[in-house]
Amino acid sequence: MKILVTGFEPFGGESVNPSWLAVSRLPEEVPGAQIVKKQLPVVWFKALDILKDYIEAEKPDVVMMCGQAGGSDAMRIERVGINLCEASIPDNEMVQLFGVPIDPEGPAAYFSTFPYGPMLEAAQATGVPTRFSYSAGAYLCNHVLYGCLRLAEQQYPDLRAGFIHVPFLPEQVTDKKPGTPSMPLDGIARVLLAFVETIAKN
Ligand code: PCA
């Protein structure tokens, strides 16, 4: 099995993106699966085009996309991607979108096709707070999730895909509102490893 794992570049004034830092810590393989790690830009449509190129080149069996969800207090297994580009901040090329469909011909939403039950169990066994989430927002993380699930439906019927949102790192919240939640990189990386191990077994 081959698992393509992606993280995003920093955005929104941050100097790091914990999703990419944690993804880059994953090993090259786990029992039963080879891991291919790639970084995506926080740029509308470009991120999805680049992801599509990686899928075409690597022919993965599973795509596990990861991104930062600032303010979240837990690792989040996203269950749904929606056909919408809408955000209160611009992307890294200063483009701001509102009410734009990802694919005007596509359905309103897709469910993730991950083995989410075993993944949640494996994550909770690590002791790191992890839960399901029913909205990945409408920014770039949702964009690649929806876009990848749409691509799978149209061109790669056996491809399974889903999205993981990770909290800020402790060093990212020192300049933020007191009480803003964060999670050490070790914890984030431990859960991502548990996820790929679980995907490889399911
Ligand atoms: N998080 C953003 C986009 C890139 C990232 O890491 C999001 O939640 O959409």
Side-chain angles (χ1 to χ4, degrees):
M1 182 192 285
K2 191 190 270 191
I3 307 175
L4 173 63
V5 185
T6 67
F8 276 105
E9 67 182 3
F11 69 102
E14 299 296 322
S15 56
V16 296
N17 189 320
S19 69
W20 176 247
L21 297 183
V23 166
S24 56
R25 281 199 181 189
L26 287 171
E28 305 300 318
E29 53 180 46
V30 293
Q34 182 195 346
I35 312 287
V36 177
K37 300 170 260 180
K38 300 288 185 189
Q39 196 192 66
L40 297 176
V42 180
V43 179
W44 295 114
F45 295 96
K46 190 173 180 178
L48 186 54
D49 284 343
I50 292 175
L51 178 67
K52 285 177 179 173
D53 289 345
Y54 288 141
I55 291 170
E56 202 181 322
E58 298 287 344
K59 304 267 182 309
D61 302 285
V62 181
V63 183
M64 183 170 94
M65 296 155 275
C66 306
Q68 165 192 297
S72 180
D73 58 359
M75 298 289 288
R76 284 168 28 186
I77 302 171
E78 299 297 345
R79 299 281 300 277
V80 185
I82 62 172
N83 192 4
L84 179 65
C85 307
E86 188 163 305
S88 56
I89 57 168
D91 68 9
N92 281 354
E93 292 184 356
M94 299 313 289
V95 174
Q96 193 161 356
L97 296 182
F98 183 85
V100 175
I102 296 169
D103 182 342
E105 324 254 88
Y110 284 105
F111 289 118
S112 152
T113 48
F114 265 173
Y116 45 80
M119 287 170 69
L120 183 65
E121 270 177 41
Q124 288 175 339
T126 68
V128 177
T130 305
R131 56 184 163 79
F132 290 145
S133 162
Y134 305 96
S135 172
Y139 194 41
L140 263 300
C141 293
N142 173 75
H143 195 118
V144 294
L145 173 58
Y146 179 93
C148 186
L149 292 166
R150 174 115 185 102
L151 178 74
E153 182 184 75
Q154 293 187 307
Q155 287 181 45
Y156 301 97
D158 296 330
L159 181 68
R160 297 176 86 180
F163 198 95
I164 308 301
H165 257 133
V166 316
F168 279 140
L169 298 175
E171 52 269 37
Q172 288 180 281
V173 300
T174 52
D175 62 346
K176 298 197 172 58
K177 220 171 49 186
T180 303
S182 66
M183 187 179 278
L185 185 56
D186 272 354
I188 297 173
R190 195 169 344 132
V191 173
L192 293 191
L193 178 61
F195 284 155
V196 289
E197 287 171 347
T198 305
I199 289 168
K201 280 189 231 148
N202 287 270

